[in-house]
Amino acid sequence: MKYFVALLALVATADGLRSKQSLGYTTIRLKATMQSVFAPTPPASRSPKTGTNDRSRHLSLLGLRRNTHASAHASDSRNRLASMREQAQRLHALQYYGEVFVGTPPQRFQVIFDTGSGHLMLPSAACDSKACKTHRVFAKENSSTAISIGWADDPLVPAKSEYDRDTTVINFAMGDAVGKYARDHVCLGNTCGMADFVEMTEESDNPFADAEWDGVLGLAQSLSDDSEFNIMTVLARNAGKGGPGHLNKPVFAFYLGQDVMDEAEITFGDYHEQRMLTPLHWVNVSQEGYWQFQFSDITVDGKATGICKKYGERMCQGVLDTGSSLLMGPQGDLDLLLKLISFNDATHMECTQSHKFPKLGFLVGGKLLEMNPDDYIDRAHNPENKAGMDNCWAHLMPVGDTGRGAIFVLGMPFLRAFYTVYDVHAKRIGIAKARHRVAGRATSAGHQLRGVLAKNATRSTSGAAEVKLVSLRPAGDDLAGKDQKRLSNDHMADHV
């Protein structure tokens, strides 16, 4: 049976940057895609000392780069993590992409916003691959501020020649790309900075040729070759200092609508209390690299499961990932959870229409963060089923041992339920219950926030870039196999 989940993505129009940049506030309309699995995994770089191909440092959430000192065991675990992320994207393709501007004058690109990777990767005008021909490419010769960088280890040093530049290989879930390093002005809304990035000189047809996006913009805290490659780190350096083009705070925040017709957005430089039902609960990053934090237990209808006890003082480790559309975790732990929520050994079951599933909770820093059943379960009626019977799917994916301990990847189901804030300087994560529409109507706070955004769009504000997310469920079969027309929240975006 072919089925779809509500898809959200980041896409911008030129109008989003045209008149509001000078006001210090940018609202960008965004779209969604389900066509391609991207999941960047370990890239290989040519070492300046040996001239051989090594893997060095980190690039993506579940496809970490292996440095030359990493053990074979560590390498195997990273490959398993990369495979884990790829499987999730194959099952529920759910990607966020939007506009980034690079160069002087600015060149516009559609990029995936990915909290699980740390680089900006764009196709190069020097790329002759078929896939590059179908996308916008970075034309270095058209930018007066562009600099070719020789080596990742020297991110501020221009290359002596085009023949003396490091070559990096980026493995994607269904293909690969080859790239070189460059440096130029990079802008998110009206906030800009000089930053390094990868210009891809070769791309495989899959996943690039048919992709609606041009590249990837990583938002992980420290998975880059150097801080100069981390776009959010570069833009947050002058946060809080005031002045045009500076962020209010060194943060970005995600709000995802509960339904495909609801609003969704990402904010750079600030966050909106009107998007929260509860105050932010802050938790420190437990291990640098990913947006990773510690939690002490998983609950089912408020009852402790004790799943994290066996991991000792490290307890369970959660990772927030906009590139994953499922909740994923160790095989044994998720097998137990599936049984506790009545799914037994599978993620799909027939269920009665009156069947009630339990809440699923995570105990984080003494605070219980609970998801409602609708946050992690899809339900649909199939005419072939008996009367009163539905098909139910749990958005959980048990996986094998990752070699990194108890890693739980909290993707779209968690990110729809909670408003999340990522503090780049303090290395902490804020989590609050998201304020969603009630019974098909917007809450008064939702109307209030839209009024605030509209007011800010017409008067001078500073320090925040508002990226509106347009959700899309393409036409096709729904969970029950019935024809489903296109659904989107783009009518809401028109009002902001």
Side-chain angles (χ1 to χ4, degrees):
M1 178 183 297
K2 185 178 180 182
Y3 60 92
F4 297 99
V5 294
L7 302 181
L8 300 170
L10 308 175
V11 170
T13 64
D15 182 65
L17 193 70
R18 186 182 61 212
S19 60
K20 299 172 185 175
Q21 260 199 343
S22 60
L23 302 178
Y25 191 98
T26 304
T27 300
I28 304 174
R29 297 184 58 194
L30 311 162
K31 291 184 181 177
T33 183
M34 62 174 299
Q35 289 184 341
S36 304
V37 177
F38 73 99
T41 56
S45 296
R46 181 167 59 85
S47 168
K49 295 182 179 180
T50 66
T52 59
N53 283 338
D54 295 310
R55 293 181 184 268
S56 60
R57 300 183 183 170
H58 306 309
L59 182 66
S60 76
L61 164 66
L62 300 179
L64 288 176
R65 288 213 241 185
R66 172 171 60 92
N67 64 38
T68 54
H69 303 291
S71 66
H73 174 74
S75 175
D76 289 343
S77 71
R78 288 163 183 166
N79 288 333
R80 287 195 293 271
L81 283 165
S83 176
M84 171 176 154
R85 194 183 196 204
E86 175 185 345
Q87 290 179 56
Q89 291 189 9
R90 287 179 187 274
L91 284 177
H92 296 275
L94 183 61
Q95 300 167 7
Y96 291 85
Y97 68 96
E99 284 189 344
V100 61
F101 292 80
V102 181
T104 308
Q107 301 176 38
R108 183 178 63 184
F109 299 93
Q110 308 277 19
V111 296
I112 291 173
F113 286 90
D114 178 27
T115 59
S117 61
H119 288 70
L120 171 61
M121 295 175 283
L122 302 172
S124 171
C127 177
D128 291 326
S129 302
K130 174 184 175 183
C132 291
K133 303 300 182 184
T134 62
H135 294 94
R136 297 184 180 95
V137 295
F138 176 66
K140 186 168 59 232
E141 64 277 10
N142 292 340
S143 174
S144 62
T145 49
I147 302 171
S148 295
I149 297 298
W151 306 98
D153 292 340
D154 295 312
L156 300 176
V157 179
K160 294 179 180 179
S161 74
E162 286 299 307
Y163 301 100
D164 187 35
R165 296 177 69 189
D166 194 3
T167 298
T168 182
V169 178
I170 305 102
N171 298 317
F172 285 72
M174 300 172 67
D176 51 54
V178 177
K180 295 183 178 181
Y181 300 112
R183 183 174 178 82
D184 209 335
H185 277 290
V186 178
C187 298
L188 286 173
N190 65 325
T191 303
C192 304
M194 284 292 289
D196 287 25
F197 57 95
V198 177
E199 52 172 330
M200 295 181 285
T201 55
E202 297 179 36
E203 292 182 347
S204 59
D205 285 349
N206 203 348
F208 299 101
D210 295 328
E212 296 182 21
W213 40 268
D214 304 311
V216 178
L217 193 155
L219 289 171
Q221 54 164 344
S222 56
L223 295 181
S224 313
D225 281 298
D226 184 273
S227 61
E228 296 298 326
F229 287 90
N230 191 299
I231 305 303
M232 188 60 195
T233 296
V234 169
L235 298 184
R237 283 174 180 163
N238 294 315
K241 297 181 179 180
H246 291 171
L247 299 176
N248 283 335
K249 302 171 184 176
V251 304
F252 62 94
F254 271 98
Y255 171 83
L256 304 182
Q258 193 172 35
D259 184 77
V260 68
M261 301 297 287
D262 296 337
E263 294 173 297
E265 69 192 17
I266 179 173
T267 302
F268 292 97
D270 219 325
Y271 52 86
H272 295 302
E273 293 184 358
Q274 294 96 331
R275 289 299 191 194
M276 312 173 201
L277 276 175
T278 61
L280 281 171
H281 177 65
W282 290 99
V283 57
N284 291 330
V285 170
S286 59
Q287 183 175 337
E288 289 193 34
Y290 310 143
W291 289 104
Q292 180 172 330
F293 61 95
Q294 185 183 70
F295 62 93
S296 57
D297 205 356
I298 299 176
T299 65
V300 176
D301 264 347
K303 297 179 181 178
T305 63
I307 280 176
C308 301
K309 289 182 178 179
K310 61 179 175 287
Y311 299 115
E313 293 183 0
R314 187 174 185 270
M315 293 187 274
C316 291
Q317 297 289 312
V319 174
L320 299 181
D321 180 24
T322 60
S324 296
S325 54
L326 300 172
L327 302 176
M328 299 181 285
Q331 180 83 43
D333 296 333
L334 261 67
D335 282 348
L336 174 60
L337 284 179
L338 285 168
K339 291 179 181 179
L340 292 175
I341 63 174
S342 306
F343 273 82
N344 297 321
D345 296 324
T347 57
H348 167 257
M349 63 177 286
E350 288 190 357
C351 54
T352 62
Q353 293 178 354
S354 60
H355 185 94
K356 293 184 178 180
F357 292 95
K359 292 183 178 181
L360 191 61
F362 299 86
L363 191 59
V364 182
K367 177 77 171 180
L368 182 59
L369 305 175
E370 283 191 305
M371 301 170 60
N372 293 320
D374 288 345
D375 294 326
Y376 70 92
I377 289 175
D378 275 333
R379 180 194 292 261
H381 179 68
N382 189 330
E384 297 179 0
N385 288 354
K386 296 178 182 179
M389 296 295 293
D390 284 340
N391 287 327
C392 290
W393 289 264
H395 289 184
L396 281 75
M397 177 184 285
V399 294
D401 178 22
T402 65
R404 292 178 53 85
I407 295 291
F408 292 81
V409 179
L410 307 181
M412 291 304 105
F414 188 91
L415 296 172
R416 284 194 297 267
F418 298 97
Y419 186 77
T420 53
V421 181
Y422 307 78
D423 191 322
V424 176
H425 286 179
K427 298 185 185 302
R428 61 177 185 164
I429 303 164
I431 306 173
K433 192 71 176 177
R435 183 185 299 275
H436 294 303
R437 298 191 311 156
V438 178
R441 59 182 176 82
T443 62
S444 59
H447 286 300
Q448 178 185 3
L449 179 61
R450 284 196 294 276
V452 170
L453 297 180
K455 185 177 182 181
N456 285 341
T458 57
R459 69 182 179 94
S460 179
T461 62
S462 62
E466 195 72 42
V467 181
K468 294 298 296 180
L469 307 180
V470 173
S471 62
L472 170 67
R473 183 165 65 196
D477 293 345
D478 64 11
L479 286 167
K482 296 184 294 185
D483 185 57
Q484 173 68 61
K485 68 179 182 179
R486 177 188 181 277
L487 295 175
S488 176
N489 71 351
D490 48 12
H491 66 287
M492 286 188 171
D494 290 336
H495 298 301
V496 180

